[in-house]
């Protein structure tokens, strides 16, 4: 059963129950009133008969006066009088108002169950005057009122059900749009929108759906940009590796090959002294190539981060840039991992933040001084800060994706990232919780949307 039908059924059931209870109470009160009226009618008839009986001994025609007494009850609503002779036959009976009787089941509900009043007639030849309460007239009137009441209540319930049906249908109409929008959003169409109309609750729900779709669309766009940036970085890294292999290792391999061939020829000629010189040159060339390979590997994966800790890895990273930019003064303050009290994932995040911040500062800012610091603050957070005094104008060209990547890393680690511009240079500050916390996609969505 649909929600609309359930609401209408509940309202109809409530109205029907109230109507039944109300009619039952009204019927009970009507029965009590009817009983009181019949009791009063019998009492009044008794007084009338007693008054007539007092003058009956002085009557010259008792039969005539008794007939008149019975006839005085003709057209009565609540009472029927019957004169009974000594032989038990009814010699005179009054005629109540004729009515169209109510159904027997309805009449049985209002039967007052009152006994007839039997008065002894002070005249010869007559046994008694019987006064019988009559409820048929009032029951017939109640039946007519009951039919009218049922018609009114039935019409009211039908009208109420129709109004509830229309009102609920109009109020729930936006839910169909919400359902269609959720299907589209679930299939990846984040451009889906719903009308922010209707009841206040549904309007707020509509705004929530539209905000959710907008945030998901923004995250999807950022994801696509990051994927494109990652692909670009991969291509650049491959080009750098190919250039390093070609420019650095390639010539040394050629030189080693030449020295090896020369050493073999000198050994064959018995020139062992000269051959040893060639072997020492080969050894120096291989050592140089090993250092180049370690340098390349450290760029691909910071092994110091795993083997020696965050401080050594950051030191190696700074040494890499210092060797290539001797005009820049680097200041580094990174304590041991034990002093920081962080896990492997936090170390990896901090290292990547420092790596990207140094990359942006050196490549785009042209600074004279760069400061790298990692410490634990009194609030229990681990703070990484990279500051430079380079170009402090607009955001460095080409650094947008790097900044976006830093924001995504910090948001995933349940931390906060602040990038501030000073009079000269930029300051990148990342704050991470020292203890690992459970990851919640909803919070990540909120952080990413705010970024």
């Amino acid at each position: 059963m649909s929600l609309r039908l359930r609401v209408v059924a509940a309202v109809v059931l409530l109205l029907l129950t109230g109507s039944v209870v109300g009619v039952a109470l009204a019927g009970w009160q009507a029965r009590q009133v009817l009983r009181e009226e019949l009791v009063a009618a019998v009492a009044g008839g008794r007084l009338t008969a007693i008054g007539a009986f007092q003058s009956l001994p002085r009557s010259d025609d008792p039969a005539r006066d008794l007939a008149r007494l019975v006839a005085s009850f003709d057209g009565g609503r609540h009472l029927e009088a019957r004169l009974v002779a000594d032989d038990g036959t009814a010699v005179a009976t009054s005629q109540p108002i004729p009515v169209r009787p109510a159904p027997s089941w309805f009449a049985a509900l209002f039967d007052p169950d009152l006994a007839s009043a039997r008065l002894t007639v002070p005249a010869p030849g007559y046994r008694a005057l019987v006064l019988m309460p009559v409820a048929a007239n009032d029951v017939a009137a109640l039946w007519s009122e009951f039919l009218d009441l049922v018609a009114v209540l039935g019409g009211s319930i039908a009208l109420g059900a129709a109004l509830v049906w229309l009102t609920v249908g109009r109020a729930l109409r936006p839910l169909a749009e919400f359902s269609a929008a959720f299907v589209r959003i679930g299939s990846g169409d984040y451009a889906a929108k719903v009308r922010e109309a209707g009841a206040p609750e549904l309007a707020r729900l509509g705004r929530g759906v539209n905000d959710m779709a907008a945030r998901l669309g923004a995250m999807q766009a950022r994801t696509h940009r990051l994927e494109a940036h990652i692909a670009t970085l991969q291509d650049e890294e491959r080009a750098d590796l190919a250039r390093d292999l070609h420019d650095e290792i390639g010539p040394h391999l050629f030189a080693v090959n030449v020295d090896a061939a020369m050493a073999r020829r000198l050994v064959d000629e018995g020139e062992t002294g000269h051959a040893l010189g060639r072997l020492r040159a080969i050894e120096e060339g291989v050592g140089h190539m090993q250092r180049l390979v370690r340098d390349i590997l450290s760029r691909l994966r910071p092994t110091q981060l795993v083997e020696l800790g965050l401080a050594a890895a950051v030191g190696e990273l700074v040494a890499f840039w210092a060797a290539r930019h001797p005009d820049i003064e680097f200041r580094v303050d990174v304590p041991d991992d034990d002093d920081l009290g962080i896990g492997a994932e936090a170390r990896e995040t901090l290292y990547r933040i420092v790596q990207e911040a140094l990359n942006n500062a050196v490549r785009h800012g042209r600074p004279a001084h760069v400061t790298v610091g990692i410490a634990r603050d009194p609030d229990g957070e681990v703070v990484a800060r990279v500051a430079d005094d380079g170009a402090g104008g607009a955001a460095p060209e080409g650094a947008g994706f790097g900044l976006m990547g830093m924001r995504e890393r910090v948001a995933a680690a349940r931390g906060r990232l602040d990038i501030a511009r000073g009079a000269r240079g930029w300051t990148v500050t990342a704050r991470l919780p020292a203890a690992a916390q459970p990851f919640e996609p909803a919070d990540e969505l909120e952080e990413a949307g705010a970024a």
Side-chain angles (χ1 to χ4, degrees):
M1 182 184 295
S2 66
L3 177 60
R4 191 179 189 183
L5 286 177
R6 290 181 182 180
V7 173
V8 172
V11 172
V12 169
L13 180 61
L14 179 62
L15 293 176
L16 188 60
T17 302
S19 299
V20 171
V21 173
V23 170
L25 290 176
W28 181 81
Q29 293 178 349
R31 188 175 185 273
Q32 296 301 113
V33 171
L34 177 59
R35 181 182 178 84
E36 293 173 358
E37 290 181 353
L38 292 178
V39 170
V42 172
R46 182 189 292 272
L47 292 176
T48 300
I50 291 175
F53 289 167
Q54 290 177 352
S55 60
L56 192 61
R58 299 188 299 273
S59 176
D60 56 351
D61 190 354
R64 180 196 61 199
D65 293 341
L66 289 173
R68 289 177 178 175
L69 175 62
V70 172
S72 66
F73 290 98
D74 287 346
R77 183 180 181 86
H78 300 117
L79 205 60
E80 177 183 317
R82 181 177 297 175
L83 183 61
V84 180
D86 288 340
D87 59 0
T89 59
V91 295
T93 304
S94 64
Q95 299 297 323
I97 297 176
V99 295
R100 183 176 181 179
S104 58
W105 65 269
F106 188 83
L109 295 176
F110 293 91
D111 184 10
D113 194 21
L114 293 176
S116 301
R118 194 177 186 87
L119 304 176
T120 300
V121 179
Y126 299 99
R127 179 180 299 177
L129 178 66
V130 181
L131 300 178
M132 296 177 294
V134 177
N137 291 281
D138 290 286
V139 172
L142 290 174
W143 172 252
S144 178
E145 294 175 0
F146 173 75
L147 292 179
D148 294 340
L149 182 60
V150 168
V152 171
L153 292 177
S156 300
I157 293 175
L159 180 60
L163 291 176
V164 171
W165 175 269
L166 294 176
T167 302
V168 173
R170 185 179 182 86
L172 297 181
R173 190 176 302 165
L175 293 182
E177 297 183 18
F178 294 160
S179 178
F182 283 135
V183 172
R184 292 177 58 188
I185 292 173
S187 63
D189 182 9
Y190 301 133
K193 298 291 182 182
V194 297
R195 292 182 299 171
E196 300 175 8
E201 296 82 0
L202 294 178
R204 287 195 295 270
L205 180 59
R207 286 193 294 271
V209 172
N210 292 336
D211 291 344
M212 179 187 68
R215 291 186 179 186
L216 290 174
M219 287 193 66
Q220 185 185 52
R222 283 195 297 273
T223 301
H224 290 164
R225 291 195 298 269
L226 287 173
E227 290 174 349
H229 180 57
I230 290 173
T232 302
L233 289 179
Q234 289 176 341
D235 292 340
E236 292 178 355
E237 188 66 24
R238 293 190 185 99
D240 290 342
L241 291 175
R243 183 168 52 252
D244 290 343
L245 292 174
H246 180 271
D247 297 343
E248 298 289 343
I249 298 180
H252 284 84
L253 286 175
F254 177 76
V256 167
N257 185 42
V258 172
D259 288 337
M262 182 62 70
R264 184 180 60 182
R265 186 174 63 81
L266 291 172
V267 170
D268 291 340
E269 295 176 354
E271 298 289 338
T272 56
H274 292 87
L276 288 176
R278 294 294 180 177
L279 291 176
R280 282 193 294 270
I282 293 174
E283 184 180 8
E284 292 176 358
V286 170
H288 182 71
M289 286 187 290
Q290 287 177 337
R291 289 190 295 273
L292 290 175
V293 169
R294 282 197 302 269
D295 188 23
I296 293 173
L297 291 177
S298 66
R299 289 160 56 189
L300 296 175
R301 174 175 172 79
T303 56
Q304 293 87 352
L305 185 61
V306 178
E307 298 174 355
L308 303 178
L310 181 61
V314 172
E316 184 71 17
L317 184 63
V318 171
F320 171 83
W321 287 112
R324 285 157 179 77
H325 296 274
D327 56 324
I328 300 177
E329 180 183 353
F330 291 89
R331 301 187 184 96
V332 181
D333 182 13
V334 180
D336 294 335
D337 293 357
D338 294 338
D339 296 333
L340 293 175
I342 57 177
E345 293 183 359
R347 290 199 304 271
E348 176 72 20
T349 300
L350 292 174
Y351 177 83
R352 294 303 180 185
I353 296 299
V354 172
Q355 183 183 44
E356 183 62 32
L358 281 175
N359 179 67
N360 290 336
V362 173
R363 295 179 61 184
H364 305 291
R366 298 181 300 278
H369 301 85
V370 176
T371 302
V372 180
I374 299 178
R376 183 163 183 162
D377 66 4
D379 296 332
E381 294 181 323
V382 178
V383 181
R385 183 175 288 106
V386 178
D388 68 84
D389 60 355
E397 183 180 357
F401 289 108
L403 299 180
M404 187 182 303
M406 285 193 290
R407 292 188 187 277
E408 296 293 338
R409 284 184 180 276
V410 173
R414 302 298 303 275
R416 304 189 307 277
L417 182 68
D418 178 62
I419 302 174
R421 182 180 61 192
R424 288 190 58 82
W426 293 75
T427 300
V428 178
T429 305
R431 298 179 179 272
L432 302 183
Q437 297 187 16
F439 177 72
E440 296 181 8
D443 291 343
E444 182 202 22
L445 175 60
E446 181 177 354
E447 291 288 342

